[in-house]
Amino acid sequence: MPFDPETDAAPAQRTAAGSPLSSQMFAVGDDHELYVESNGRADGIPAVYLHGGPGSGCQADHRRLFDPQRFHAVLFDQRGAGRSRPKGGRDANTLPHLIADMEAIRALYGFDRWLVVGGSWGSTLALAYAEAHPERVSGLVLRATFLGTRAELETAFLINLPQFYPALHEDFLGLLPESERAAPLDAYWRRILDPDPTVHAPAARAWVETEGVLSMVTPRRSRLDSTHPTSQGALPVTPYIEAHYFANDCFMRPDQLLDEAGRLAGIPGVIVQGRYDLLCPPATAHRLAALWPDAELRTIDAAGHLLYDPGIRDAVIAGINDVAARMAT
């Protein structure tokens, strides 16, 4: 299977995690059912983890981010992702739907407020939720800040990609007819969402593999090669849900999350940022931190985008514990 940048953990991190305190399929309307689990102690500090993608799903190892003796942590697969049903479903799957789902899950567990943790797309959803419902957020911990803007996607795929991986950039453009190369992002999203598998499968595979290279400080390979063993097999749903969101500007106004950052006032936060993240570069986290005085930006050198890059996972865990301590004061 091609590399999935949000779920492809380093082997050392894929040790078995403890069983959840509870798990269920939770109907949220529009024919969507979400996989939801809780972990830790029932009387612990309420928290929720938001996975990336959009579309990747939460992983068992994400439970380990939360001290089970201290937290009551909820993990869930967003609409269309992971174990949620329908798998890959894009109907009634927008950012406002996901925010409403979080409120339904919070009410399901009877939490008045909770600590919200998310990375990459999870940071987008975390910020959007916190700005919509600041009274329900006791703290925020973000990794690899992504504000859901087209400018960020253009920076990653149209500036960083040719700068750092020029041969891969040629491969990425070469998959498209010459007439579509002037606007490659729109062409890729249009192709990925095309119902014809001979159109969408090659585009989805190229997208997820290119995204994977940009996610890693030292990628295993840096060219698109349809004959390579990792280029065979089933595709994850991530590129399809990503194309759905990105083609619709993540269902936000331009710069919405920065424009409404004032609503984060009084919410303690930690922003964890890899120095060499080519997908979500440090400038984005810096811009957010400048508008959110209650947040501390922690940059990790020699790390990129992934949760499992050196120092990132430990920094997220430390951030969760530090924000929880600030919440208690």
Side-chain angles (χ1 to χ4, degrees):
M1 178 180 289
F3 178 83
D4 185 332
E6 272 300 313
T7 63
D8 202 37
Q13 303 289 358
R14 290 198 166 200
T15 53
S19 298
L21 189 67
S22 66
S23 64
Q24 62 179 296
M25 298 301 297
F26 180 50
V28 290
D30 309 304
D31 294 322
H32 282 275
E33 288 186 298
L34 307 186
Y35 172 80
V36 183
E37 67 175 50
S38 68
N39 300 273
R41 47 188 293 175
D43 60 348
I45 299 169
V48 61
Y49 181 81
L50 306 177
H51 67 71
S56 67
C58 58
Q59 305 297 308
D61 187 67
H62 295 156
R63 302 169 190 161
R64 295 182 179 274
L65 299 174
F66 302 91
D67 180 350
Q69 298 303 313
R70 192 178 188 190
F71 293 95
H72 186 188
V74 173
L75 280 64
F76 71 99
D77 292 339
Q78 298 158 29
R79 294 191 181 206
R83 291 149 288 188
S84 293
R85 299 190 291 253
K87 188 174 181 66
R90 300 191 297 267
D91 291 340
N93 190 342
T94 70
L95 185 62
H97 284 107
L98 302 188
I99 292 171
D101 292 346
M102 289 182 63
E103 273 295 271
I105 293 169
R106 182 191 59 77
L108 174 69
Y109 287 94
F111 298 154
D112 182 56
R113 300 197 302 162
W114 51 3
L115 168 64
V116 181
V117 182
S120 194
W121 165 256
S123 72
T124 319
L125 178 55
L127 287 167
Y129 174 82
E131 291 176 3
H133 300 285
E135 75 285 357
R136 297 303 184 186
V137 179
S138 53
L140 279 168
V141 178
L142 310 179
R143 173 190 63 81
T145 302
F146 174 53
L147 301 174
T149 66
R150 184 184 180 95
E152 290 167 281
L153 296 164
E154 290 178 345
T155 296
F157 287 89
L158 305 184
I159 297 176
N160 291 345
L161 179 61
Q163 278 279 81
F164 290 91
Y165 296 98
L168 177 60
H169 180 245
E170 291 175 359
D171 294 343
F172 184 73
L173 291 183
L175 193 76
L176 301 173
E178 192 167 349
S179 61
E180 297 182 18
R181 294 175 191 173
L185 297 187
D186 298 280
Y188 262 94
W189 300 332
R190 183 171 58 250
R191 285 175 169 269
I192 291 170
L193 297 175
D194 192 290
D196 184 347
T198 65
V199 175
H200 69 68
R205 196 177 303 279
W207 178 271
V208 76
E209 291 184 359
T210 302
E211 188 177 39
V213 171
L214 290 171
S215 298
M216 303 180 75
V217 176
T218 54
R220 294 188 286 266
R221 62 192 183 99
S222 57
R223 298 295 300 269
L224 298 181
D225 180 1
S226 61
T227 66
H228 194 279
T230 61
S231 293
Q232 310 304 315
L235 279 158
V237 301
T238 312
Y240 300 96
I241 297 182
E242 285 185 353
H244 167 67
Y245 269 81
F246 298 161
N248 288 285
D249 297 316
C250 293
F251 301 95
M252 289 188 289
R253 302 185 311 277
D255 293 321
Q256 176 178 318
L257 296 182
L258 289 183
D259 289 345
E260 298 186 4
R263 296 178 62 81
L264 305 176
I267 298 175
V270 166
I271 305 169
V272 176
Q273 177 64 48
R275 175 77 68 192
Y276 300 110
D277 187 342
L278 297 182
L279 276 178
C280 302
T284 305
H286 181 80
R287 291 174 68 199
L288 175 64
L291 297 172
W292 180 19
D294 297 286
E296 179 187 350
L297 175 57
R298 299 178 180 179
T299 302
I300 310 302
D301 291 319
H305 183 76
L306 297 181
L307 176 62
Y308 300 99
D309 279 355
I312 295 288
R313 187 172 179 272
D314 289 345
V316 171
I317 292 172
I320 290 170
N321 290 326
D322 292 347
V323 170
R326 290 170 61 188
M327 287 159 37
T329 59

